[in-house]
Amino acid sequence: MKLLTKISILATSVALAACNGDDGQNGTDGKNGQSSFVLQTVVQPGHAVCANGGIQIDSGLDKDGNGKLDAGEITSTTHQCKPTKTSLSQSDLLTNANNNWYVQSAKSVEDAKQMALKANNERGGAKNVILFVGDGMGVSTVTAARIRDGQNKGMKGEENNLSFDKFPFAGLAKTYNVDAQTPDSAGTMTAMISGVKTDVGVLGVDEDIERGNCTTVSGNELVSAIELAEIAGLSTGVISTARITHATPAATYAKSADRNWEDISDMPDAAKTAGCKDIADQLVNFETNLEARYDGLDVDGLEVVMGGGRRHFLPKDAAANSPDARSDIEGDRTDGRNLVNEWKAKYPNGDYVFEDDGFRAINPETAERIFGLFNESHMQYEADRSNDVAGEPSLTDMTEKAIKLLDNNDKGYMLVVESGRIDHGHHAGNAYNALEDTIEFSEAIEKAVRMTNPEETLIIVTADHSHVFTIAGYPKRGNPILGKVVAIGKTEPEKAADDKPYTTLGYTNGRGFMDLGAETDADAGYDQDIHAGRADLTDVDTTTPGFHQEAAVPRSSETHAGEDVGIYAKGPSAQLVSGTNEQSIIFHVMEHAIDLINKAETKLKP
């Protein structure tokens, strides 16, 4: 707003008559006077002179007579500023304070302050530790699963929280292996469970190993947290929805020059001749192997082992098939050994189960131990679990039963739980299955939280690595996370520069677009041709279980990614999780919480 005041000065001439004299000559005409202007301009808050706003007053003469005050004609500038406040009143923050986002965030700060005051940093302050590993669960997977879970509940989705989102302490883990920028699960899980980063593809050994060379294992073995817990007299357990001999669970109990040596048929002759043992063999003989390493040690072995991978424990003989075998010959072992029977002989009071009915029949309050192998290979995706031949327990079911059994030990327990098929869903380029398994993972964690005492149980949730999985475009709030991008204020999908719609979720590389409809097994996509690049999705329902997202770079399988992953923690020593860390810190937080090394050393002393 401008206020303009104009003052005109008129020149006058005055003629003076001489007394008794002749009239004088007429004087010359006077010059017209110059106009004076005063210009008032409202200035907004944040102005250099008037921080709270006000009026700037400029004045000067209209020298060029153009009827306005130009910048060069201003001779004086003053300001009338609004007074500066010296304090905040309640009314000043009324808009903030009445906003739900403001209220929620303020409460979160207060809750965090209380958690910090109650935090237990005492060494050995925890009785139990549970490590949850979401295989391949990068930050984008957590975000997408959170939204998917919320939308499944009838929410817009973004405001939802997965169970571990609410944990009071969090940080990041750098996932690279010693020899690789983008890691694999063997090296990353070895770091988490032993405190030492190592190379790609090796289990329970340090970086001085030569992958695939059995003779380099000796002298380079690492001690895992599970082994320390076992020595200390705690109960121990390992659960996975992948094969129990797969990289992540195997790192808890095995020492191997190659993660692929899951059974003897996978090993080269040189390794067998040199005396290396396959991973399944090491699992069944975990107790014997551990006792052999330490003089006079007497342990009772793993109380809970559940997952997939039966084929690595059974001989290549149809007579050894399980009732729900999918293959004509289920077993892969070429040494004729039946490791299931060997386990039963070693633990006659233990319960071996291969299907859901047998699992549910076990009373964890009285059972000594459980060995569950629920599939020939990996267990089913959560969305596909109902299609299993004999039925499988869910990850939540296994977690609940494991805690009930392990909690029978007054000294405490250590449990590792892996959701292995999040990773496999991504490798197949199928976000639906990856997200559904992440949601089930969250449910298992919630079950563990409800079953345990936060004052005596440290729970850590993390991932071994991430995937090249993206959340992109500019979809409006509440847009179906599996859907095509629909912009704010729009009802129809946005189109890219090629005039085709595109989805919010996608992959940098992989097998690419597939429309398999209601198919709930992501691995069915491996029977299809690779179709990387763009496809016309106009008439495709991208929210179905069988839709596989587009990928830019064609590959037989989508790859891991190299960015940091989240670490979430609650319970004793949880506050030690903060900032950005080497992935190996997870071992040290767990060790501090239970005082594992001191307890194990005490047990080993004569």
Side-chain angles (χ1 to χ4, degrees), residues 307 310 314 320-328 330 352-357 373-380 387-393:
R310 269 198 313 261
L314 299 177
N321 282 8
S322 303
D324 64 338
R326 292 190 170 191
S327 302
D328 292 337
E330 184 177 28
Y352 169 74
V353 290
F354 65 90
E355 35 73 64
D356 194 42
D357 287 343
L373 295 175
F374 299 108
N375 208 301
E376 179 179 322
S377 183
H378 303 299
M379 293 179 69
Q380 306 291 348
N387 293 323
D388 186 70
V389 175
E392 294 179 352

Side-chain angles (χ1 to χ4, degrees), residues 400-565:
E400 178 180 15
K401 186 146 293 189
I403 292 173
K404 286 181 177 179
L405 188 151
L406 296 174
D407 198 39
N408 294 331
N409 186 344
D410 293 336
K411 293 181 181 179
Y413 61 83
M414 182 170 189
L415 174 63
V416 176
V417 180
E418 185 210 18
S419 179
R421 307 232 66 191
I422 298 171
D423 177 69
H424 301 160
H426 281 318
H427 279 309
N430 178 237
Y432 178 92
N433 271 287
L435 300 187
E436 291 301 308
D437 270 57
T438 304
I439 293 169
E440 172 60 21
F441 182 57
S442 175
E443 291 295 322
I445 295 163
E446 180 63 30
K447 175 65 72 172
V449 169
R450 292 197 302 267
M451 292 180 66
T452 55
N453 182 346
E455 294 183 359
E456 65 179 22
T457 303
L458 169 66
I459 299 178
I460 294 178
V461 179
T462 190
D464 48 356
H465 55 75
S466 64
H467 278 264
V468 292
F469 175 63
T470 62
I471 305 174
Y474 297 99
K476 61 185 177 182
R477 172 84 184 277
N479 197 60
I481 192 64
L482 294 172
K484 302 163 195 171
V485 171
V486 178
I488 297 170
K490 301 292 182 62
T491 58
E492 295 298 320
E494 290 289 289
K495 292 186 178 181
D498 59 5
D499 203 35
K500 298 174 184 176
Y502 56 98
T503 56
T504 303
L505 304 180
Y507 293 94
T508 303
N509 60 46
R511 300 184 69 83
F513 162 71
M514 298 176 202
D515 181 13
L516 304 184
E519 176 60 66
T520 51
D521 180 7
D523 296 345
Y526 289 108
D527 296 329
Q528 308 295 316
D529 292 336
I530 294 174
H531 188 183
R534 294 284 282 137
D536 188 352
L537 304 178
T538 302
D539 298 321
V540 176
D541 182 356
T542 64
T543 66
T544 61
F547 177 77
H548 291 236
Q549 281 69 22
E550 293 172 302
V553 179
R555 282 186 55 89
S556 60
S557 176
E558 179 266 2
T559 71
H560 298 171
E563 72 266 19
D564 302 346
V565 297

Side-chain angles (χ1 to χ4, degrees), residues 110-177:
E110 291 303 315
D111 290 345
K113 287 163 59 178
Q114 292 302 312
M115 288 301 302
L117 291 173
K118 296 177 182 178
N120 178 3
N121 192 32
E122 177 187 358
R123 171 171 275 278
K127 177 183 177 183
N128 315 306
V129 169
I130 306 176
L131 174 62
F132 283 95
V133 181
D135 198 315
M137 190 184 71
V139 173
S140 59
T141 301
V142 174
T143 302
R146 179 192 305 134
I147 295 171
R148 172 70 176 170
D149 181 51
Q151 291 177 346
N152 287 344
K153 296 173 181 175
M155 305 161 64
K156 285 183 178 294
E158 296 83 359
E159 72 279 23
N160 182 48
N161 282 307
L162 296 174
S163 59
F164 53 92
D165 281 325
K166 298 177 285 186
F167 281 17
F169 300 98
L172 293 171
K174 295 187 283 186
T175 62
Y176 67 94
N177 295 139

Side-chain angles (χ1 to χ4, degrees), residues 225-239:
I226 283 286
E227 290 171 324
L228 288 172
E230 188 70 25
I231 294 169
L234 279 66
S235 291
T236 53
V238 182
I239 296 172

Side-chain angles (χ1 to χ4, degrees), residues 95-109 155-161 477:
T95 302
N96 298 58
N98 286 336
N99 188 288
N100 192 48
W101 302 114
Y102 186 92
V103 173
Q104 286 180 354
S105 297
K107 183 179 183 302
S108 295
V109 170
M155 305 161 64
K156 285 183 178 294
E158 296 83 359
E159 72 279 23
N160 182 48
N161 282 307
R477 172 84 184 277

Side-chain angles (χ1 to χ4, degrees), residues 173-186:
K174 295 187 283 186
T175 62
Y176 67 94
N177 295 139
V178 171
D179 60 347
Q181 192 171 73
T182 298
D184 91 319
S185 297

